[in-house]
Amino acid sequence: MAKRLLLLAEDTKRNRDEIKELQKQVKDLAAAIERLAYEVHRTREKDEHEREKLKLQLENELLRFERKLSSAEGKIDTDSN
């Protein structure tokens, strides 16, 4: 009976140690997931800003082109008269 109690005590200690290790792993994993979520969020924000910047650049180029086209049409009208 004493031997059985000793084995149970050893099993219990081993289980406690394993539980502590698993808890540490879960904590580390949760921290890693939190960091990844933050990085995903920052990447999305960065991509959104980059798309907005490209959109504005395209709009500016379009406006410049329209101005050049308008001035060229005005010049053609003036030259024809």
Side-chain angles (χ1 to χ4, degrees):
M1 182 75 164
K3 185 176 180 179
R4 181 152 168 77
L5 285 175
L6 183 61
L7 289 174
L8 288 174
E10 289 173 356
D11 285 347
T12 301
K13 182 180 178 341
R14 188 171 38 253
N15 287 339
R16 283 188 185 135
D17 291 344
E18 288 177 6
I19 288 170
K20 284 181 185 177
E21 178 59 29
L22 288 171
Q23 287 172 331
K24 181 186 178 314
Q25 290 176 6
V26 167
K27 184 179 176 182
D28 292 347
L29 185 57
I33 289 170
E34 192 173 320
R35 285 191 304 272
L36 284 172
Y38 176 77
E39 286 299 317
V40 166
H41 177 73
R42 292 292 298 144
T43 300
R44 283 184 182 153
E45 282 183 343
K46 181 182 171 190
D47 289 348
E48 184 179 329
H49 290 291
E50 189 63 27
R51 281 191 301 275
E52 183 65 25
K53 183 177 146 185
L54 290 172
K55 178 184 167 194
L56 291 172
Q57 288 174 346
L58 182 59
E59 287 176 358
N60 284 337
E61 287 299 318
L62 185 58
L63 288 171
R64 285 187 193 111
F65 178 74
E66 288 173 348
R67 259 188 264 135
K68 286 179 185 177
L69 189 59
S70 294
S71 67
E73 288 175 350
K75 199 173 194 182
I76 292 172
D77 288 341
T78 309
D79 291 343
S80 338
N81 290 333

